[in-house]
Coordinates of all heavy atoms in Angstrom, one line a residue:
A163 N 7.0 23.3 -40.4 CA 7.2 22.3 -41.4 C 6.0 22.1 -42.1 O 4.8 21.9 -41.3 CB 7.7 21.0 -40.7
R164 N 5.9 22.2 -43.4 CA 4.6 22.1 -44.2 C 4.7 21.3 -45.4 O 5.7 21.1 -46.0 CB 4.0 23.4 -44.4 CG 4.7 24.2 -45.5 CD 4.0 25.6 -45.9 NE 3.6 26.3 -44.7 CZ 3.1 27.4 -44.8 NH1 2.8 28.0 -45.9 NH2 2.8 28.2 -43.6
L165 N 3.6 20.7 -45.8 CA 3.3 20.1 -47.0 C 2.2 20.7 -47.7 O 1.1 21.0 -47.0 CB 3.0 18.6 -46.8 CG 4.1 17.6 -46.2 CD1 3.6 16.3 -45.9 CD2 5.3 17.5 -47.2
Q166 N 2.3 21.0 -49.1 CA 1.2 21.5 -49.7 C 1.1 21.1 -51.2 O 2.2 20.7 -51.8 CB 1.3 23.0 -49.7 CG 2.3 23.7 -50.7 CD 2.1 25.3 -50.6 OE1 2.1 25.8 -49.5 NE2 2.2 25.8 -51.8
Y167 N 0.0 21.0 -51.7 CA -0.3 20.7 -53.1 C -0.9 21.9 -53.8 O -2.0 22.5 -53.2 CB -1.2 19.5 -53.2 CG -1.4 18.9 -54.6 CD1 -0.5 18.1 -55.2 CD2 -2.5 19.5 -55.4 CE1 -0.6 17.7 -56.5 CE2 -2.7 19.0 -56.7 CZ -1.7 18.2 -57.2 OH -2.0 17.7 -58.5
S168 N -0.5 22.2 -54.9 CA -0.9 23.3 -55.7 C -1.6 22.9 -57.0 O -1.1 22.2 -57.8 CB 0.2 24.3 -56.0 OG 0.7 25.0 -54.9
F169 N -2.9 23.2 -57.1 CA -3.7 22.9 -58.2 C -3.4 24.0 -59.3 O -3.6 25.2 -59.1 CB -5.2 23.0 -57.9 CG -5.6 21.8 -57.1 CD1 -5.6 21.9 -55.7 CD2 -5.9 20.6 -57.6 CE1 -6.1 20.9 -54.8 CE2 -6.3 19.5 -56.8 CZ -6.4 19.7 -55.4
L170 N -2.8 23.7 -60.5 CA -2.5 24.6 -61.5 C -3.7 25.0 -62.3 O -4.4 24.1 -62.7 CB -1.3 24.1 -62.4 CG -0.1 23.7 -61.7 CD1 0.9 23.1 -62.7 CD2 0.5 24.7 -60.8
L171 N -3.9 26.3 -62.4 CA -5.1 26.7 -63.2 C -5.1 26.5 -64.7 O -6.0 26.4 -65.3 CB -5.4 28.2 -62.8 CG -5.6 28.5 -61.4 CD1 -6.0 30.0 -61.2 CD2 -6.8 27.6 -60.8
D172 N -3.8 26.4 -65.2 CA -3.6 25.9 -66.5 C -2.2 25.3 -66.7 O -1.3 25.5 -65.8 CB -3.8 27.0 -67.6 CG -2.8 28.1 -67.5 OD1 -1.6 27.8 -67.8 OD2 -3.2 29.3 -67.1
Q173 N -1.9 24.6 -67.7 CA -0.5 24.1 -67.8 C 0.0 24.5 -69.3 O 0.7 23.6 -69.9 CB -0.6 22.5 -67.8 CG -1.0 22.0 -66.3 CD -2.4 21.8 -66.1 OE1 -3.2 22.0 -67.1 NE2 -2.8 21.5 -64.9
Q174 N -0.1 25.7 -69.6 CA 0.2 26.0 -71.0 C 1.7 26.2 -71.2 O 2.2 26.3 -72.2 CB -0.4 27.3 -71.4 CG -2.0 27.2 -71.6 CD -2.7 28.3 -72.2 OE1 -2.1 29.0 -73.2 NE2 -3.8 28.8 -71.6
F175 N 2.4 26.3 -70.0 CA 3.8 26.3 -70.0 C 4.4 24.8 -70.6 O 5.5 24.7 -70.9 CB 4.4 26.6 -68.7 CG 4.4 25.6 -67.7 CD1 5.6 24.8 -67.3 CD2 3.2 25.3 -67.0 CE1 5.4 23.8 -66.4 CE2 3.2 24.3 -66.0 CZ 4.3 23.6 -65.6
A176 N 3.5 23.9 -70.4 CA 3.9 22.5 -70.8 C 3.3 22.1 -72.1 O 2.6 21.1 -72.3 CB 3.4 21.5 -69.6
A177 N 3.2 23.0 -73.0 CA 2.6 22.7 -74.4 C 3.5 21.6 -75.1 O 4.7 21.7 -75.0 CB 2.4 23.9 -75.2
N178 N 2.8 20.8 -75.9 CA 3.5 19.8 -76.7 C 4.3 18.7 -76.1 O 5.3 18.2 -76.7 CB 4.3 20.6 -77.7 CG 3.5 21.6 -78.6 OD1 2.4 21.3 -79.0 ND2 4.1 22.9 -78.7
V179 N 4.1 18.5 -74.8 CA 4.9 17.5 -74.2 C 4.5 16.2 -74.4 O 3.2 15.9 -74.6 CB 5.0 17.8 -72.6 CG1 5.6 19.1 -72.2 CG2 3.6 17.7 -72.0
P180 N 5.3 15.2 -74.5 CA 4.9 13.8 -74.7 C 4.6 13.2 -73.3 O 5.5 13.4 -72.4 CB 6.1 13.1 -75.4 CG 7.2 13.9 -74.9 CD 6.8 15.3 -74.7
P181 N 3.7 12.4 -73.1 CA 2.5 12.2 -74.0 C 1.3 13.1 -73.7 O 0.6 12.8 -72.9 CB 2.1 10.7 -73.7 CG 2.4 10.6 -72.2 CD 3.5 11.6 -72.0
G182 N 1.3 14.3 -74.3 CA 0.3 15.3 -74.0 C -1.2 14.7 -73.8 O -1.7 14.1 -74.9
D183 N -1.6 14.6 -72.6 CA -2.9 13.8 -72.4 C -4.1 14.8 -72.2 O -5.2 14.3 -71.9 CB -2.7 13.0 -71.1 CG -2.3 13.8 -69.9 OD1 -2.2 15.0 -70.1 OD2 -2.2 13.1 -68.9
V184 N -3.9 16.1 -72.4 CA -5.1 17.0 -72.5 C -5.0 17.8 -73.8 O -4.0 18.4 -74.0 CB -5.0 18.0 -71.3 CG1 -6.1 19.0 -71.4 CG2 -5.2 17.2 -70.0
T185 N -6.1 17.7 -74.6 CA -5.9 18.3 -75.8 C -6.9 19.6 -75.8 O -8.2 19.4 -75.4 CB -6.5 17.3 -77.0 OG1 -5.6 16.3 -77.0 CG2 -6.4 18.1 -78.3
I186 N -6.4 20.8 -76.2 CA -7.2 22.0 -76.3 C -7.0 22.4 -77.8 O -5.9 22.9 -78.1 CB -6.9 23.0 -75.3 CG1 -7.0 22.5 -73.9 CG2 -7.7 24.2 -75.5 CD1 -6.5 23.4 -72.8
G187 N -8.0 22.3 -78.6 CA -7.9 22.7 -80.0 C -6.9 21.8 -80.6 O -7.1 20.6 -80.6
D188 N -5.9 22.3 -81.3 CA -4.9 21.4 -82.0 C -3.6 21.3 -81.1 O -2.6 21.0 -81.6 CB -4.5 21.9 -83.3 CG -4.1 23.4 -83.4 OD1 -4.0 24.0 -82.3 OD2 -3.7 23.8 -84.3

Side-chain angles (χ1 to χ4, degrees):
R164 69 174 51 177
L165 294 172
Q166 75 176 43
Y167 184 86
S168 293
F169 295 90
L170 304 183
L171 300 183
D172 68 63
Q173 294 88 9
Q174 295 191 41
F175 75 101
N178 303 317
V179 295
D183 56 358
V184 177
T185 301
I186 302 177
D188 59 352

